[in-house]
Every structure is written in structure tokens, then in C-alpha cells.
Amino acid sequence: MESSYITSAQQAEQLPRLGHPEVAFVGRSNCGKSSLLNALLNRSGLARTSNTPGRTQMVNFFAVDHKEKRLVLADLPGYGFSAIGKEVRHHWQALVDGYLGRAEIRELLFLYDSRRVGDLKDDDLGLLEMLTKRKAPVTVVLTKCDKLNQSETQKAITTMAGDLKKEKLKVARVVAVSSLKKKGIEELRELVITPHLG
Ligand code: GDP
């Protein structure tokens, strides 16, 4: 499995037509999205970590190649900086709306810091609603699970599944990962990447 950076789009109109299946990653800023992309791709610096507030919001596209097949990973802009203004929020919405209209999407990954479980905010719920309306299955990925012990991690998964059910949000699964300790990474790769390269 080889991976490489393809391109980035800052506006919905710039979203490229790549002609390959896509797996999309979305989550609150600082949720660990770049670290997870790098862990899944076995690369240390492909996706840039530590987004700063106000940084240009864009969708970054990465290629995963295996034999003759190519899968595209789409890194959607983070959300949820309280300091950001209306304009940035509108831009985020337009870009994410534009992205989510793509027919190439095979999997949608919603990343969520495992320590925040039990505290879904309106912006999280709004995004989850947008995601679960799409055809592709949604995987909720609880990140940084090294911050919890094993029983707390299990409890976080159960609590998150229960909260989603209460909100009538249908997701395919809830999993927990640690990019730092490489926990659940191989399993997630087998669930959402390998099947599209076979
Ligand atoms: P992004 O803003 O969603 O792309 O998040 P980053 O990948 O840049 O990570 C945000 C912060 O969380 C950084 O300080 C990372 O070192 C930290 N982080 C990311 N993944 C993990 C993890 O699995 N475990 C721990 N403990 N920290 C993590």
C-alpha cells in the first residue's frame, strides 16, 4: 500500500473529479484527524498535524494505491473553534456541503475525541445529521483512546452508540483508536480502506 498527497481544494468549485472511490474524514479541530490519517497510511508527516484557528480551510486529498487500484482519502476541514467568525463557518459549510454531494464517497468517518463522549454539541449533531443522510455508511471513530483505560474505552463506545440512537442518528459502527499507541488502527484499516482496494 503506497500513499501520496494529491491536491487540496479551498472552495467547493475547486473540488477535483478524481474518478476513484473515496473515504472521507471529518471531525472537530484537534480531534486527532491528521494523526489518524498518518497512522492509517503508516506515514509520519503526510497529513499535517496541529491546525491552528483561522488557518485556511480546505479539503486535502490523498491517494492510497494497491496493485492497480486507487482509493482516495479526503481530509475535510475541522470545525468548532469558538473564536471563528460567521464567514469562516459559512465557508466551512459550503465546502463540506459541496464535498458531501460527491458520488465517489464510499465511507464517511466521523472522528470524535473519546474524552468528550457524553457531550455531543449542536455542531457535532448537525454534522452527524448531514453525514447520516448520505448513502455511504458512517463510522464513528473515538480518537485518543490511550487517554482512557480499557473499560473506560468500552464504556465510551457504548455511551456514544446510545447517544446516537437517542438522537436517531444511524451509524454503521462506533470504534475506538489511538494513533499514538497504534491501537485499533489495523482494525480500522481493514474496515474502511482494504475493502475498497480488493
Ligand atoms: P487535527 O487537528 O484533528 O488534525 O488533530 P491532530 O492530529 O493535529 O492532533 C491534535 C492533538 O492531539 C495533537 O497535539 C496530537 O499530538 C494529539 N493526538 C492526536 N492523536 C492522538 C492520540 O491517539 N493520542 C493522544 N494522546 N494524543 C493524540
Side-chain angles (χ1 to χ4, degrees):
M1 200 177 87
E2 298 257 314
S3 55
S4 54
Y5 168 77
I6 305 175
T7 186
S8 301
Q10 285 189 31
Q11 309 289 342
E13 303 75 51
Q14 293 170 351
L15 289 165
R17 296 253 79 96
L18 299 169
H20 299 285
E22 294 185 6
V23 175
F25 293 71
V26 56
R28 184 174 289 278
S29 304
N30 222 38
C31 68
K33 184 157 51 63
S34 315
S35 303
L36 179 61
L37 277 159
N38 288 327
L40 283 170
L41 299 175
N42 258 324
R43 299 275 299 259
S44 53
L46 195 59
R48 274 198 289 163
T49 51
S50 298
N51 296 342
T52 42
R55 205 182 92 181
T56 317
Q57 296 199 304
M58 39 190 188
V59 182
N60 303 305
F61 293 92
F62 301 94
V64 181
D65 295 305
H66 181 66
K67 294 183 183 156
E68 300 296 295
K69 296 234 178 168
R70 168 167 281 197
L71 178 68
V72 171
L73 306 191
D75 171 18
L76 271 65
Y79 64 95
F81 282 115
S82 51
I84 66 168
K86 228 193 223 163
E87 223 167 280
V88 177
R89 214 163 300 143
H90 278 153
H91 176 251
W92 180 88
Q93 189 73 48
L95 194 50
V96 172
D97 278 345
Y99 179 80
L100 291 178
R102 288 161 85 82
E104 293 91 335
I105 305 173
R106 295 293 182 278
E107 309 273 351
L108 292 162
L109 273 62
F110 175 80
L111 278 49
Y112 194 77
D113 191 319
S114 53
R115 293 166 300 178
R116 298 177 62 120
V117 168
D119 193 21
L120 281 166
K121 304 283 191 215
D122 285 349
D123 52 1
D124 301 314
L125 292 169
L127 175 57
L128 275 163
E129 205 175 314
M130 284 167 65
L131 298 179
T132 52
K133 276 190 189 142
R134 311 302 315 168
K135 217 167 39 187
V138 177
T139 298
V140 173
V141 182
L142 303 181
T143 57
K144 313 187 193 182
C145 76
D146 55 278
K147 299 274 191 184
L148 306 180
N149 66 33
Q150 214 167 334
S151 72
E152 289 168 337
T153 302
Q154 276 313 312
K155 195 169 164 236
I157 293 174
T158 314
T159 303
M160 184 58 135
D163 289 352
L164 295 169
K165 205 171 168 195
K166 247 182 270 165
E167 299 287 342
K168 298 195 167 51
L169 294 163
K170 287 221 170 83
V171 305
R173 54 181 85 91
V174 181
V175 301
V177 299
S178 164
S179 305
L180 190 71
K181 302 279 185 199
K182 305 278 179 284
K183 273 197 215 160
I185 300 296
E186 186 59 46
E187 290 85 346
L188 185 60
R189 201 184 287 128
E190 290 300 318
L191 280 170
V192 300
I193 293 184
T194 318
H196 305 290
L197 286 169

